[in-house]
Amino acid sequence: MILWLWLCWGFSTTAGQPDSELMARYLEEKLMADYSIMEQVARRVPRQAKFLQRLETRPRMSEFTVRSTIISRYAFTTVSCTMVNSGSEAREGVFEMQIPAAAFISNFTMSIGNKTYYGEVTGKEKKHSSDDKARHKKPPSPTDGRENGYETFKASVFIPRKMQAKFLLHYEELLQRRLGKYEYTVSIRPQQLVGRLRVEVNILENSGIVSLEVPPLRNSKHKGNGKVEGDVSPPPSTVVGHTKTLAKVTFNPTVVEQTRIARNGILGDFIIRYDVNRELSVGDVQILNGYFVHYFAPTDLPPLPKNVVFVLDSSASMVGTKLKQTKEALFTILQDLRPEDHFNIIGFSNRIKVWQQDRLVPVTPNNIRDAKKYIHNMSPTGGTNINGALQTGAKLLNDYIAQNDIDARSVSLIIFLTDGRPTVGETQSSKILSNTKDAIRDKFCLFTIGIGNDVDHKLLERMALENCGMTRHFQEDDDAASHLKGFYDEIGTPLLSDIRVDYPEDNVEEVTQNFFPNYFNGSEIVIAGKLINHTSDSLHIEVTASNSKKYILLKTDVAIDLPSRNDIRGVPGLEDGKGDKNYIERAWSYLTIKELLNSRLKTDDNQEKDYLMEKAKSMALTYNFVTPFTVLKMREAGLHSEPPQEEFISPSTDGIGEKLQSLQGHKAPPGIRRQQDKQRIKISKTSADGDPHFVIDFPSSKFSVCFNIDGEPGDILRLVSDHKESGVTVNGQLIGAPAPPNGHKKHRTYFSTITILSNKPERSYLEITPRRVILDDGERLLLSCDRSAVVRSSSLEVSISANSNVTVTIQDTISFVILIHHYKKPAPYQRNHLGFYISNSKGLSSDSHGLLGQFLNHEVKLLQESLNTGHQQVGQNQTEALKPSPTTTLKVKGRLVPVVWKQRRIYNGQQEVDCWFAKNNADKLIDGSYKDYLASHPFDTGTSFGTINSL
């Protein structure tokens, strides 16, 4: 007995010393060998290891492997675990795996010795109402269900002596984008050291992988926190390799490395974060075998102004850490509010206290200071009046919206935080839900946050779902403040509102939600559906949305026949059978089931609940998903299997369902159909295009005049200058290229950038290049020229026809068309460039100037110079007869300009123009000389020679 105690003491005191590390190396060497039962019996082991084996009563885990394939954000994960019972009697082996609550289990297999047990997904029988009531009496607990978005799958079986058992678990999930990154997480908690431990993740993203990172292992205490502090290096033994579209990440720690991380085998969460290339376009659309998935996450958008009411629980249960962390988070959140935002704060217990009565205040230093004082002085007391607090917050926000001339495109929202259940006032959940919905009336969104174990998860979740919001649940720990701040960061920067995505009705069916009240920075909108028109070779897509003062319409046609792009069979690194599955079809089924689950959660109609349950169950059985309405049963008796329980699966909390509403509740609402596209604007001949060649059309005289400007690379030419009257200026910057062989020019020049400036009724500018358009009217917007788009504001419209042209309309009276010239295989003397055309000059004043602008409201006379009689005015019907005459002249503002007859091609060479050509850099044709039209910079709005102004 004394010897046994001494050995225990001696082992415990040497933990972490070199001897234990040597033993770990030995165990690694031993465990990596073949696991033959006879070899296990015959092998000689050190006395210390023998002692450990005698103490160990559970089977030993010899292998734990996770292999995942992520294809366009859709993740297939397989977990393999082998346990060996080297004892002299049967022992219980428990396989336990934490999986994301948003994931669906799709298969489970177990082998014990020579017997194999297969999991089968079957429909769950409907429980009686009494059973439901009994089940709901027990509040959910993180120990037996969800913990910060994770659930525990557990299977146990008795393993005969000298035998082994192998568990194989498959689950699938659609990764959700938060704070600009997708996060894939694998729980590595075998609860013992493992001889062969390996995680392998293969990622394929056709859009291109960017910002790939593998942070340190995250323990359960910090689960759900997207930020990593301190050491940011990958876990030991991690290998990361990737190309533009493929990435492979492996984690293969030895037993020694595992010991250094955690001797109890609870290593933590292995995390991979990444993003994909994206731009402001209709997004990434992928099509495969009759199904499509559409990812929409635009960038480079200015944020929308917010009207936000914070409703904070200050009841007695918030005493201590919870209230302290809430205050810390709110101090930071208040500091992050933008000057254009408005806000208020409500604290509630059994009493409801409003910081600023009957109003929302603007964000100013004084208001932020006073708000922090109010929060600092909040003290925990009394009960929890959830209904009264929400009614007060909704009335405050509704009154503010009704009584103030707020920006129509601003985003209004309530952020509600509590740690408990309703105890004061209305305590019935159904009444609180209906009262909240009636108070909000679809005018703004409600976001709910629950802290601790006593929260009514279902109430908070359903309140958020019914009012276009999201919900989060955090444990009370040292990191709760950063969790709260992280959640606010997700919703604190709205970029678009009223987003609608349209597809031709005769081309698609069973499309998931296609209308979204808001799009937040760093998130992503995902839509999927089925194609029904198998004769069409493309899918037309239109996205409409509002951004601050602008209306945006994005359009494109996506080729349907894309097997080489979206069929991933045979891709290196993905040889695990996932390529045989239509990942797009499974993503569609995943999203559809999530929406059905959310719809059922939201409705109070029992008949509708049954219909939605049956529909979700049918689809889950088709795709072999374990859901709240399906269960995993084993084919052999005697196996105890515990997949995630129904009450803890919450797609709205942790899955893509967070962004989704019900199929019935939020399809595109009536009356939000996009405006019909305007008829194509007719381009006039008045233009500057090519090298650059200028054409001035005089419709009343029925002839055109043309000239060349031989500028220098880098010169900025003032094309239209009417800044003082209409407020419009157009400048064009030249780029150089070598001259063609055998030509008379020393070099060529083209327009590389067109800048359009306007200061009426409000200041704005457009910068157009062959690749992109930048619109800045106080808020910067970046558009790609290879995607069709329309942006409208009160006085400006920009319409992009992909890779073709950009049309700019100002106050409906001025229109410019910029042609985009792209060369697939340019010659040395060719450059991608722009052509500038004036379509409508009605809004330009008679005083407008510039190389083109000076001619818009002035007539030019064409004269013939005879040998003896001087000048003779040419009539309109005499123009053709004068073609060969070398003595034809123009009379421009009293100046005589000799011209010759020429033909020019415009509109990308599609139209030929007959014109009278003025030589020598338009000498005498234009006012002053060429150098008088040089601007000092692209934003120069000088209106007279030698004068320089800036917008």
Side-chain angles (χ1 to χ4, degrees):
M1 183 65 179
I2 296 175
L3 178 63
W4 184 83
L5 290 173
W6 178 82
L7 282 173
C8 289
W9 175 83
F11 179 71
S12 63
T13 55
T14 56
Q17 300 300 319
D19 286 347
S20 66
E21 194 163 299
L22 287 172
M23 189 188 74
R25 287 197 179 96
Y26 170 80
L27 288 174
E28 174 188 4
E29 188 179 290
K30 178 169 72 73
L31 293 172
M32 288 300 292
D34 292 336
Y35 277 86
S36 165
I37 299 300
M38 294 305 296
E39 286 182 3
Q40 293 300 315
V41 175
R43 182 183 296 274
R44 294 176 60 91
V45 296
R47 182 180 302 172
Q48 202 172 25
K50 282 185 177 181
F51 175 73
L52 284 175
Q53 288 179 355
R54 287 198 301 270
L55 292 180
E56 182 65 69
T57 59
R58 59 181 174 175
R60 182 163 24 86
M61 190 177 295
S62 63
E63 172 259 346
F64 182 87
T65 303
V66 179
R67 179 159 185 174
S68 176
T69 302
I70 303 172
I71 313 168
S72 296
R73 296 78 143 172
Y74 195 77
F76 299 88
T77 302
T78 300
V79 183
S80 173
C81 173
T82 302
M83 293 184 181
V84 177
N85 178 13
S86 56
S88 58
E89 59 184 19
R91 292 173 178 171
E92 184 183 24
V94 179
F95 169 65
E96 194 171 305
M97 182 70 186
Q98 289 188 353
I99 65 173
F104 286 147
I105 293 171
S106 57
N107 205 351
F108 179 64
T109 307
M110 193 172 104
S111 298
I112 307 171
N114 297 325
K115 294 183 179 180
T116 302
Y117 301 83
Y118 296 97
E120 181 181 0
V121 178
T122 62
K124 183 182 292 186
E125 295 181 3
K126 186 178 179 181
K127 295 184 179 181
H128 298 292
S129 58
S130 59
D131 295 335
D132 288 337
K133 290 178 181 177
R135 174 169 53 85
H136 286 298
K137 285 180 182 177
K138 180 183 178 183
S141 167
T143 59
D144 60 353
R146 175 192 310 165
E147 181 186 351
N148 290 333
Y150 290 80
E151 293 173 343
T152 301
F153 176 90
K154 185 177 181 181
S156 62
V157 68
F158 278 91
I159 306 173
R161 58 186 295 274
K162 311 303 182 186
M163 300 289 282
Q164 69 177 23
K166 184 170 184 178
F167 303 87
L168 205 61
L169 175 68
H170 302 263
Y171 61 88
E172 302 175 22
E173 61 181 314
L174 183 66
L175 303 185
Q176 184 177 2
R177 188 169 184 256
R178 290 179 179 167
L179 301 177
K181 294 285 183 69
Y182 302 100
E183 181 173 293
Y184 175 76
T185 304
V186 175
S187 174
I188 307 176
R189 292 173 171 82
Q191 302 184 43
Q192 56 179 286
L193 301 177
V194 184
R196 291 192 296 268
L197 193 155
R198 180 178 174 84
V199 177
E200 179 181 320
V201 181
N202 294 285
I203 305 172
L204 171 63
E205 294 286 354
N206 281 323
S207 302
I209 299 171
V210 296
S211 304
L212 179 67
E213 61 183 44
V214 183
L217 292 169
R218 180 175 63 191
N219 60 37
S220 59
K221 187 175 184 180
H222 302 99
K223 195 175 289 184
N225 180 21
K227 297 182 180 179
V228 178
E229 297 181 1
D231 183 19
V232 294
S233 59
S237 79
T238 300
V239 178
V240 181
H242 68 92
T243 62
K244 182 180 179 181
T245 59
L246 276 169
K248 182 174 183 178
V249 181
T250 59
F251 174 57
N252 190 19
T254 64
V255 173
V256 173
E257 289 169 325
Q258 294 174 50
T259 305
R260 290 170 179 165
I261 298 170
R263 295 188 60 200
N264 60 2
I266 302 177
L267 276 65
D269 294 324
F270 184 76
I271 304 165
I272 298 173
R273 297 192 187 104
Y274 72 94
D275 199 13
V276 299
N277 286 315
R278 63 186 77 247
E279 58 192 14
L280 181 59
S281 67
V282 297
D284 180 14
V285 183
Q286 302 193 17
I287 300 172
L288 183 63
N289 297 337
Y291 293 85
F292 74 90
V293 63
H294 182 182
Y295 301 99
F296 180 65
T299 58
D300 297 314
L301 293 168
L304 300 174
K306 297 190 300 294
N307 311 306
V308 56
V309 176
F310 299 97
V311 183
L312 310 175
D313 189 343
S314 61
S315 61
S317 59
M318 288 286 289
V319 68
T321 304
K322 284 184 280 191
L323 187 57
K324 178 184 176 183
Q325 292 174 338
T326 300
K327 291 180 178 181
E328 290 175 1
L330 261 293
F331 290 158
T332 307
I333 289 170
L334 289 174
Q335 208 62 45
D336 288 347
L337 291 174
R338 297 181 177 85
E340 62 270 20
D341 296 339
H342 291 76
F343 73 105
N344 203 340
I345 302 167
I346 297 175
F348 74 94
S349 53
N350 55 332
R351 297 175 57 192
I352 298 166
K353 300 177 182 179
V354 182
W355 171 50
Q356 296 286 340
Q357 290 293 332
D358 303 324
R359 62 179 181 143
L360 269 67
V361 299
V363 175
T364 65
N366 288 341
N367 285 337
I368 296 296
R369 179 200 61 204
D370 294 344
K372 288 182 177 180
K373 288 182 181 178
Y374 175 78
I375 293 171
H376 175 74
N377 292 328
M378 289 176 64
S379 59
T381 181
T384 309
N385 188 353
I386 290 178
N387 183 73
L390 287 170
Q391 293 297 304
T392 303
K395 183 179 187 304
L396 184 66
L397 201 48
N398 274 317
D399 290 347
Y400 176 77
I401 294 172
Q403 297 170 9
N404 293 272
D405 185 22
I406 67 169
D407 191 328
R409 294 189 177 100
S410 64
V411 174
S412 300
L413 50 95
I414 292 177
I415 298 178
F416 176 82
L417 182 147
T418 184
D419 75 327
R421 298 166 179 267
T423 61
V424 177
E426 181 60 67
T427 60
Q428 189 175 344
S429 294
S430 59
K431 288 288 185 65
I432 295 174
L433 288 167
S434 61
N435 291 344
T436 303
K437 190 168 180 61
D438 290 343
I440 291 177
R441 301 194 299 272
D442 295 326
K443 290 187 177 180
F444 45 85
C445 297
L446 170 64
F447 297 86
T448 61
I449 302 169
I451 301 179
N453 298 335
D454 299 325
V455 177
D456 188 338
H457 301 287
K458 285 191 174 294
L459 175 62
L460 296 185
E461 179 180 49
R462 186 166 172 185
M463 281 197 303
L465 272 177
E466 290 184 350
N467 298 284
C468 71
M470 297 184 289
T471 186
R472 284 285 190 278
H473 172 236
F474 303 125
Q475 291 301 314
E476 180 185 359
D477 59 30
D478 295 336
D479 221 16
S482 65
H483 292 318
L484 295 173
K485 178 60 170 60
F487 179 55
Y488 174 79
D489 288 343
E490 290 186 49
I491 62 176
T493 308
L495 299 183
L496 293 173
S497 60
D498 299 330
I499 306 100
R500 177 191 172 106
V501 185
D502 285 312
Y503 313 91
E505 294 181 357
D506 57 348
N507 270 22
V508 299
E509 65 179 0
E510 298 188 53
V511 177
T512 57
Q513 179 196 349
N514 68 336
F515 176 75
F516 304 83
N518 300 301
Y519 164 72
F520 296 100
N521 187 40
S523 65
E524 184 171 59
I525 288 172
V526 186
I527 307 163
K530 297 170 66 174
L531 301 176
I532 56 176
N533 186 353
H534 299 293
T535 61
S536 177
D537 58 359
S538 65
L539 175 64
H540 184 71
I541 300 172
E542 295 190 4
V543 180
T544 59
S546 297
N547 167 256
S548 187
K549 300 176 182 179
K550 307 179 188 73
Y551 165 85
I552 298 173
L553 170 62
L554 308 172
K555 299 183 289 185
T556 196
D557 290 294
V558 179
I560 288 178
D561 185 19
L562 292 173
S564 61
R565 175 178 171 86
N566 294 329
D567 191 343
I568 51 84
R569 287 174 292 186
V571 173
L574 302 181
E575 305 90 349
D576 54 2
K578 302 301 183 295
D580 296 331
K581 294 185 178 182
N582 186 340
Y583 65 95
I584 295 179
E585 179 182 356
R586 296 191 74 81
W588 165 78
S589 66
Y590 176 98
L591 285 172
T592 302
I593 293 172
K594 293 288 184 183
E595 289 192 352
L596 291 169
L597 297 178
N598 285 346
S599 298
R600 185 177 184 275
L601 182 63
K602 290 167 58 176
T603 184
D604 291 319
D605 187 298
N606 289 330
Q607 187 174 355
E608 185 180 6
K609 276 183 179 290
D610 290 342
Y611 167 76
L612 294 169
M613 179 186 71
E614 291 301 322
K615 190 170 182 181
K617 183 194 296 184
S618 175
M619 181 168 284
L621 291 173
T622 300
Y623 290 94
N624 215 58
F625 286 148
V626 178
T627 69
F629 310 127
T630 54
V631 294
L632 188 65
K633 293 184 177 180
M634 308 308 291
R635 291 185 177 179
E636 291 285 342
L639 178 69
H640 177 60
S641 179
E642 298 178 1
Q645 298 299 307
E646 175 182 349
E647 57 264 38
F648 303 130
I649 287 186
S650 174
S652 68
T653 300
D654 299 284
I656 198 66
E658 216 163 40
K659 286 280 181 287
L660 302 178
Q661 311 279 328
S662 85
L663 284 168
Q664 290 76 20
H666 270 287
K667 287 293 183 181
I672 308 185
R673 286 293 300 172
R674 65 176 180 85
Q675 299 182 24
Q676 295 295 323
D677 289 343
K678 297 181 178 180
Q679 292 184 349
R680 190 177 184 87
I681 297 176
K682 185 178 179 181
I683 307 176
S684 76
K685 299 174 185 177
T686 301
S687 59
D689 204 345
D691 185 17
H693 303 315
F694 289 74
V695 176
I696 314 294
D697 188 36
F698 297 97
S700 60
S701 301
K702 294 187 178 179
F703 65 80
S704 300
V705 176
C706 51
F707 59 92
N708 293 347
I709 291 294
D710 295 327
E712 295 295 325
D715 283 355
I716 300 172
L717 308 184
R718 188 171 293 114
L719 304 178
V720 177
S721 180
D722 195 28
H723 188 71
K724 290 184 177 179
E725 300 299 330
S726 66
V728 174
T729 302
V730 182
N731 296 327
Q733 186 164 7
L734 298 177
I735 188 175
N742 303 320
H744 65 282
K745 292 186 176 182
K746 61 179 180 180
H747 57 246
R748 281 188 165 189
T749 53
Y750 304 93
F751 285 119
S752 62
T753 306
I754 299 292
T755 307
I756 301 173
L757 308 104
S758 174
N759 69 342
K760 294 182 180 179
E762 53 192 18
R763 192 170 66 173
S764 61
Y765 77 83
L766 275 161
E767 185 177 281
I768 303 167
T769 72
R771 297 292 179 188
R772 66 181 188 179
V773 176
I774 298 175
L775 169 59
D776 194 326
D777 55 359
E779 296 171 338
R780 185 181 174 91
L781 183 65
L782 181 66
L783 300 159
S784 174
C785 289
D786 63 359
R787 303 281 185 172
S788 296
V790 177
V791 179
R792 297 190 184 108
S793 64
S794 57
S795 60
L796 182 70
E797 177 179 312
V798 181
S799 177
I800 301 175
S801 180
N803 296 317
S804 176
N805 62 75
V806 179
T807 301
V808 180
T809 304
I810 303 172
Q811 301 183 56
D812 293 324
T813 59
I814 303 170
S815 295
F816 305 126
V817 178
I818 295 88
L819 293 189
I820 302 170
H821 300 276
H822 278 295
Y823 297 99
K824 291 183 178 180
K825 295 181 179 180
Y829 53 85
Q830 293 176 323
R831 296 287 185 272
N832 292 338
H833 64 280
L834 303 172
F836 176 75
Y837 292 76
I838 298 178
S839 175
N840 180 6
S841 61
K842 186 184 299 184
L844 294 172
S845 74
S846 58
D847 294 328
S848 62
H849 211 267
L851 288 170
L852 293 175
Q854 63 185 297
F855 300 105
L856 297 177
N857 293 291
H858 295 280
E859 285 299 319
V860 176
K861 293 182 179 180
L862 187 64
L863 306 174
Q864 179 185 10
E865 183 178 333
S866 63
L867 293 176
N868 298 316
T869 59
H871 300 293
Q872 178 182 354
Q873 185 170 342
V874 178
Q876 294 176 2
N877 59 354
Q878 294 178 280
T879 302
E880 291 293 325
L882 291 177
K883 287 182 184 179
S885 172
T887 58
T888 305
T889 59
L890 294 175
K891 187 174 182 180
V892 182
K893 299 180 181 180
R895 301 187 297 269
L896 297 179
V897 184
V899 292
V900 296
W901 187 258
K902 272 200 172 186
Q903 287 187 328
R904 281 256 165 96
R905 289 187 177 274
I906 57 174
Y907 309 155
N908 283 329
Q910 297 176 7
Q911 184 172 338
E912 200 170 66
V913 176
D914 295 329
C915 62
W916 294 103
F917 178 73
K919 299 181 179 180
N920 301 324
N921 263 9
D923 183 39
K924 297 183 180 180
L925 176 67
I926 60 176
D927 295 338
S929 67
Y930 159 75
K931 291 185 177 180
D932 294 324
Y933 296 86
L934 294 180
S936 61
H937 54 80
F939 307 102
D940 181 2
T941 59
T943 55
S944 61
F945 300 142
T947 302
I948 297 175
N949 296 315
S950 296
L951 182 66

